Amino acid sequence: AVEIKRYLETEGLPKSMIVGDFSGSPRLKASGGIEISRAIGEHLQAVDIKVSDDAPLQLMGKFKLVEKRQFAGESFDSLALEIEATILDDNDDELVVLEFDVFGSVTLQLAGIDVNLPPQASDAERERVKIEQAKRPATKVDAAEVRPAASSPFGMEVLVVNGNQVTPRPATLDARGRAFVELHKGEEYAVLLKNDADFEVAVDLAIDGVSAFALAEEAGLRRNLFLVPAHGSYVVPGWFRSLTKTNAFEIGGYAQSVNKQVGGASANVGTISARFRASWSDDVSRPADEPRAGANAKDTQPPGKATVLGRELQKNYQQVQREFGVVRAVVNIRYDK
C-alpha cells in the first residue's frame, strides 16, 4: 500500500482506486485472491487512499508460488507468493506493474497448499517441508476425512446436510494430489474440523478464500478463530453472523456467492481451507512442543459453483481469549473442478 501511494504521488495521480481481483496461476486453482484483494484494500485506506467502485484508477493482479530468499544473508530458500499488482487508468490502459512477495504460512492457505509442519523445527527446515509438500503433496484421504499427511493429527471433512441428518461426503485425490469432494447446487453443507492432538487448536477457516467470520455483524468479531478441543472435533455449520446467529453454507451460483458479495471474482471460488495452530488460555496449558516467542518468526504472523448464504440457523457461540502458536497444518478441500 505504501509503494502504491508513493507511485501515485510521484506521478501526480489521484489517490482513489477500484481494487479488483487477484488471480492465482491456473495450476494452483486457489481461492486466496479475494483475501489478497481485501488486505490490499484495507491497507490502502489506512494510508489515505480511497477505495471506491467509481474511482478513476484500477488495481488488479495475479500471484504464483515461488522459492526465494526472504532476507539478505539467509542460506535457504523460502516458499513465497510472488504478487504482481497492475494499476490501470479509466481507459483500462496499464500504467505500472508493481511486484511484491508474501512469506509465511499464510501463503499456504492463499495458494491452497496442504502441509504438515513440525512446530519446533528451524525456519530453514519448516521452509524445506513447505517447498517439498507444495511440489509433492502428502495429502491423505480416508473416506471423507482429509489430512495434510497420514501422520498429521489434524483433519477436515465435508458433511452434507439433509434435514436433521448430516452425511460425510467422500473425498478423492486429483492428479496433483489435491482433495476434492463433489457438491451440487442447492446442497447445504457443514465443515467438520478434527483434532487428535493432546492440546486445543485454533482454526482459521476460509470458504472460497473468504473467512467464515467475514460477514459478522459486529466488525470486532470478524477476526475470530474456531477452537477445537484436544482429541475432539467441532462442526462449523455456516457463516458466522453473531454470537447467536449463523447462515448455512449452501452451494449456489457465483452471482449469489459470498465471495462476490465481498468483492471477489469467479476464478477464486471452490475451495474450503483450514489452518491449524495450537491455542491455550494460560502458560500451564501451553503445549510442551510450542516454540517460545522469537522462534519460527516467519510463521507467527497471523461461473462454477460457489458458497452462498443459506438459511438462518440458531447457534450459540462463546467468545473466549486465547494465545496462539505457530501454524502446524493447512488442509484444503476443493469442490469445484
Side-chain angles (χ1 to χ4, degrees), residues 64-78:
K64 63 181 179 180
L65 273 178
V66 297
E67 300 169 30
K68 60 174 57 178
R69 304 287 166 91
Q70 182 173 3
F71 302 110
E74 274 189 340
S75 60
F76 59 91
D77 284 341
S78 295

Side-chain angles (χ1 to χ4, degrees), residues 15-332:
K15 296 180 183 177
S16 177
M17 60 176 48
I18 303 167
V19 177
D21 178 41
F22 280 73
S23 58
S25 62
R27 176 179 59 82
L28 287 178
K29 196 171 178 58
S31 296
I34 180 59
E35 175 58 18
I36 295 173
S37 298
R38 185 207 61 76
I40 290 177
E42 181 179 286
H43 287 279
L44 285 173
Q45 293 183 93
V47 296
D48 298 323
I49 295 177
K50 182 181 179 182
V51 176
S52 169
D53 286 342
D54 59 359
L57 299 177
Q58 307 170 77
L59 182 71
M60 61 182 294
K62 58 185 180 180
F63 62 92
K64 63 181 179 180
L65 273 178
V66 297
E67 300 169 30
K68 60 174 57 178
R69 304 287 166 91
Q70 182 173 3
F71 302 110
E74 274 189 340
S75 60
F76 59 91
D77 284 341
S78 295
L79 194 66
L81 279 187
E82 185 177 87
I83 301 175
E84 291 185 359
T86 302
I87 298 177
L88 310 171
D89 63 18
D90 57 1
N91 292 318
D92 295 337
D93 291 327
E94 183 179 301
L95 299 178
V96 69
V97 177
L98 303 174
E99 296 185 359
F100 57 98
D101 300 314
V102 175
F103 292 88
S105 58
V106 68
T107 62
L108 303 168
Q109 193 168 33
L110 293 173
I113 303 298
D114 294 346
V115 295
N116 187 46
L117 294 170
Q120 288 192 317
S122 66
D123 280 344
E125 175 61 15
R126 283 170 66 90
E127 292 301 325
R128 185 195 67 77
V129 171
K130 290 178 190 178
I131 291 171
E132 179 180 305
Q133 294 188 17
K135 292 178 179 177
R136 290 175 290 278
T139 307
K140 173 68 174 178
V141 168
D142 183 5
E145 182 184 86
V146 179
R147 295 179 184 256
S151 60
S152 175
F154 312 118
M156 181 166 64
E157 294 184 15
V158 173
L159 309 176
V160 176
V161 180
N162 186 6
N164 294 324
Q165 294 185 326
V166 293
T167 304
R169 181 60 54 87
T172 58
L173 291 176
D174 68 12
R176 291 187 176 273
R178 301 176 297 199
F180 173 79
V181 296
E182 186 74 48
L183 293 174
H184 307 285
K185 288 185 178 180
E187 285 190 316
E188 180 181 318
Y189 70 90
V191 178
L192 174 64
L193 304 171
K194 305 182 77 171
N195 174 24
D196 293 340
D198 295 330
F199 48 83
E200 175 189 89
V201 293
V203 182
D204 174 10
L205 180 67
I207 309 294
D208 299 342
V210 182
S211 168
F213 288 93
L215 298 182
E217 293 168 356
E218 292 182 43
L221 296 176
R222 292 174 189 164
R223 294 187 179 276
N224 278 311
L225 303 175
F226 295 105
L227 299 182
V228 187
H231 298 286
S233 61
Y234 186 80
V235 175
V236 182
W239 303 100
F240 176 93
R241 305 305 302 279
S242 73
L243 293 175
T244 59
K245 187 172 69 175
T246 295
N247 280 95
F249 295 136
E250 182 180 322
I251 300 298
Y254 174 70
Q256 297 80 36
S257 71
V258 172
N259 180 285
K260 180 174 175 60
Q261 184 174 333
V262 299
S266 57
N268 286 336
V269 297
T271 304
I272 302 164
S273 181
R275 195 159 41 134
F276 293 76
R277 62 180 75 208
S279 60
W280 57 93
S281 56
D282 54 61
D283 207 54
V284 174
S285 54
R286 180 192 186 103
D289 64 348
E290 185 64 44
R292 292 287 171 176
N296 294 324
K298 291 176 184 289
D299 286 327
T300 53
Q301 56 185 339
K305 290 171 284 188
T307 300
V308 304
L309 277 180
R311 63 191 175 98
E312 186 174 308
L313 308 172
Q314 294 301 311
K315 180 175 175 62
N316 294 324
Y317 297 88
Q318 180 183 3
Q319 189 176 26
V320 296
Q321 297 294 320
R322 289 291 190 272
E323 297 290 331
F324 304 116
V326 296
V327 170
R328 294 172 180 247
V330 179
V331 185
N332 295 275

Side-chain angles (χ1 to χ4, degrees), residues 1-10 40 43-44 46-47 49 98:
V2 172
E3 189 173 347
I4 290 171
K5 181 180 181 179
R6 183 182 301 119
Y7 171 78
L8 298 181
E9 290 178 340
T10 299
I40 290 177
H43 287 279
L44 285 173
V47 296
I49 295 177
L98 303 174

